[in-house]
């Protein structure tokens, strides 16, 4: 595996950890309700206003496209256990399990692409993703009430 691929896997792992912390920090308030009632209440809460409904539908449809891509990519590269990533996305969080799949995919690509080095991400790509990360962290902080509302 190249140094670029290792760095990419590290970034994916950090995204997965931040996503797990950022989402499950909110999920713990549902756990005392029990598994079934917690899920019922969670999904009811996603319907409380137009913004929550918008983002709920948007994420669900994005998940459908991402899962379809994950399945086709897993088949192309011979990645086993792809349905564990889909199940983890549903049960724990898509923002945690897609980066974990991407790590698995990079490992498979390293084997599949041996001897063929791709262009990789540019400095502009990394800068753009850093900007997205700052926005995502800001939104997460706002959602926890750490930052005052704008």
């Amino acid at each position: 595996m190249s140094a670029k691929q290792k760095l990419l896997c590290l970034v994916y792992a950090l995204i997965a950890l931040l996503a797990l912390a950022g989402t499950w920090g909110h999920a713990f308030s549902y756990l005392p309700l029990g598994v079934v009632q917690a899920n019922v209440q969670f999904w009811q809460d996603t319907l409380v206003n137009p913004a929550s409904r918008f983002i709920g539908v948007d994420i669900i449809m994005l998940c459908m496209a991402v899962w379809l891509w994950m399945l086709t990519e897993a088949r192309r590269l011979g990645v086993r256990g792809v349905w564990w990533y889909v199940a983890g996305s549903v049960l724990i969080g898509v923002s945690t399990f897609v980066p974990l799949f991407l790590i698995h995919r990079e490992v498979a690509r390293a084997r599949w692409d041996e001897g063929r080095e791709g262009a990789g991400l540019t400095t502009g790509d990394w800068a753009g993703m850093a900007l997205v990360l700052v926005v995502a962290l800001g939104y997460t902080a706002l959602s926890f009430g750490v930052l005052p509302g704008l």
Side-chain angles (χ1 to χ4, degrees), residues 61-129:
M61 293 301 114
L62 176 62
C63 285
M64 297 299 294
V66 168
W67 293 334
L68 181 61
W69 171 80
M70 285 169 58
L71 291 168
T72 58
E73 189 70 354
R75 300 301 177 243
R76 181 178 75 84
L77 295 172
V79 172
R80 301 177 76 134
V82 67
W83 281 102
W84 288 109
Y85 296 105
V86 174
S89 294
V90 171
L91 298 172
I92 296 173
V94 69
S95 59
T96 298
F97 275 81
V98 169
L100 294 177
F101 169 79
L102 291 171
I103 292 169
H104 196 165
R105 177 183 176 267
E106 277 307 308
V107 171
R109 278 189 58 216
R111 285 192 304 266
W112 193 74
D113 287 344
E114 258 178 24
R116 295 182 279 182
E117 184 64 34
L121 297 177
T122 67
T123 303
D125 292 332
W126 285 108
M129 285 306 298

